[in-house]
Amino acid sequence: MKAIQILEPSVMKVIDMAAPQAGDDEVLLKMEYVGFCGSDLSTFRGGNPMVRMPVVPGHEVGATIVSVGKNVPEGLKSGMTVTVNPYTNCGKCASCRNGRVNACQHNETLGVQRWGAMCEYIALPWEKVIPAGLLTPRTCALIEPMSVGFHAVSRAQVTDIDVVVVIGCGMVGMGAVVRSAQRGATVVAADIDDEKLAIAREMGASYTINTLKDDVHARLLEMTSGYGPDVVIEAVGSPATYQMAVDEVAFTGRVICIGYAKTEVSFQTKYFVQKELDIRGSRNAQPSDFRAVIHYLERGTCPVDRLITREVSPEEAPEALQWWHENPGKVFRILVNFK
């Protein structure tokens, strides 16, 4: 079967691998669409400290069940459209003991610490396979990144009296915009790209800020009657946006950190104390977040086509990832079509 492999930074090729078979507790999936995410781009750039190379990337999946093992529950059947929970959990660490398996200390994500889904077939434990109802496999490839944004909103404990700023309107940030709006919050989307900001408005943002053109501080004070936002969700992963989050959040506000900053970040730590901030990390997603995203997408209001920047064949994938590397601000998702 065909698979896409990143051998080393900037080196990607299509390889041939033996197709897997489903074990007794596994489901064999035919990949239809697999999305490239920010961690795949970081791997390609040589900036992903968690990856084990060479690696088959990919964990944003739209697939069809081919066959199931003898111990798989009856709810999973051949022909079903599904997505995948790409994380593992050990069941023994502090996170797992506390029921927060998404933050397992020993997690291994598909396409990062273990070989991923950028291939024609994959066999996975049945517990990691999530039925997607009437959604198409193409739409299913958007579920995982949006679920990460949904989870961040849960970590922020967003309510209908909050003003929520989402910094970064990629797929994860868009998930945070949608979920915050669903909870009744006033949502402010912040990004450097006007096209992304326009889509953020379609998906629930009441206000937008172009952080390259606008006076962010002045705009936020104006929007919040001088208080500042109750919640800031950082979905970029740069020193500048981390600092912006802490600087702009209101006194006693909540800062939720999703993005990984690739370099050290310097803070005025007096703000942590003076503002009595809640600063929380948000990692991956819970099964309930996947279900919530599926429920949202089933409504048919999401502008799916506008969130898919390019759709390519496996052979075109190396060029597409190089293009994303050269145009980082212009991409929502690149999907690889394995149909």
Side-chain angles (χ1 to χ4, degrees):
M1 67 173 184
K2 289 181 181 178
I4 296 169
Q5 187 180 51
I6 301 176
L7 287 80
E8 59 185 75
S10 301
V11 180
M12 174 188 287
K13 68 177 183 179
V14 178
I15 63 171
D16 185 61
M17 295 173 56
Q21 295 183 342
D24 291 345
D25 299 298
E26 292 183 324
V27 175
L28 180 65
L29 302 179
K30 170 66 174 73
M31 295 296 103
E32 307 283 354
Y33 293 91
V34 184
F36 278 121
C37 80
S39 65
D40 299 323
L41 180 61
S42 293
T43 297
F44 183 74
R45 289 171 163 173
N48 189 343
M50 295 181 290
V51 73
R52 298 171 185 168
M53 284 201 283
V55 68
V56 173
H59 55 252
E60 301 176 359
V61 171
T64 303
I65 295 178
V66 175
S67 62
V68 300
K70 65 179 183 180
N71 296 332
V72 174
E74 291 185 1
L76 296 173
K77 301 180 182 296
S78 297
M80 291 180 66
T81 298
V82 298
T83 192
V84 166
N85 182 331
Y87 325 120
T88 65
N89 57 283
C90 68
K92 300 177 181 179
C93 70
S95 300
C96 291
R97 183 178 64 179
N98 291 329
R100 291 162 65 177
V101 295
N102 58 292
C104 174
Q105 181 178 352
H106 307 292
N107 168 66
E108 294 188 348
T109 298
L110 285 175
V112 185
Q113 294 93 348
R114 56 194 175 120
W115 281 28
M118 287 274 180
C119 51
E120 292 184 271
Y121 297 92
I122 190 170
L124 292 172
W126 68 264
E127 297 92 338
K128 298 300 180 182
V129 178
I130 303 173
L134 298 177
L135 297 181
T136 66
R138 184 171 178 262
T139 299
C140 286
L142 305 181
I143 293 172
E144 191 274 341
M146 293 192 75
S147 73
V148 176
F150 272 47
H151 181 66
V153 173
S154 294
R155 291 284 291 144
Q157 297 176 299
V158 170
T159 73
D160 59 351
I161 63 172
D162 288 323
V163 175
V164 179
V165 175
V166 179
I167 305 175
C169 293
M171 279 299 304
V172 171
M174 287 298 188
V177 168
V178 168
R179 195 56 164 166
S180 297
Q182 286 182 334
R183 291 191 175 199
T186 299
V187 184
V188 183
D191 200 275
I192 62 174
D193 186 82
D194 287 331
E195 182 179 356
K196 289 183 176 180
L197 292 173
I199 297 175
R201 278 191 178 270
E202 288 186 38
M203 298 179 73
S206 298
Y207 303 96
T208 58
I209 295 176
N210 186 311
T211 56
L212 289 181
K213 302 175 183 178
D214 299 331
D215 184 330
V216 176
H217 182 69
R219 288 286 309 281
L220 288 177
L221 289 181
E222 178 186 352
M223 294 172 188
T224 60
S225 300
Y227 292 106
D230 305 282
V231 176
V232 179
I233 297 175
E234 199 288 331
V236 176
S238 76
T241 50
Y242 262 84
Q243 291 166 348
M244 181 188 298
V246 171
D247 290 347
E248 299 302 338
V249 72
F251 274 63
T252 68
R254 288 100 73 195
V255 175
I256 309 302
C257 307
I258 308 175
Y260 282 95
K262 307 303 186 293
T263 58
E264 291 185 0
V265 183
S266 297
F267 290 107
Q268 290 286 344
T269 55
K270 67 179 183 180
Y271 292 146
F272 296 7
V273 178
Q274 287 180 343
K275 292 185 175 183
E276 199 176 46
L277 298 180
D278 290 333
I279 300 177
R280 305 174 185 177
S282 183
R283 183 182 181 194
N284 299 331
Q286 293 271 23
S288 59
D289 299 308
F290 282 84
R291 294 196 301 271
V293 173
I294 291 170
H295 182 63
Y296 161 66
L297 291 172
E298 285 178 333
R299 297 175 184 175
T301 58
C302 179
V304 170
D305 289 340
R306 296 188 67 187
L307 298 178
I308 298 171
T309 308
R310 291 182 65 179
E311 185 179 316
V312 299
S313 68
E315 290 76 15
E316 294 168 329
E319 180 276 329
L321 204 57
Q322 179 64 37
W323 179 80
W324 189 9
H325 167 66
E326 295 168 359
N327 301 275
K330 295 298 182 183
V331 173
F332 278 113
R333 273 302 174 268
I334 296 172
L335 300 188
V336 179
N337 185 341
F338 282 95
K339 294 176 68 174

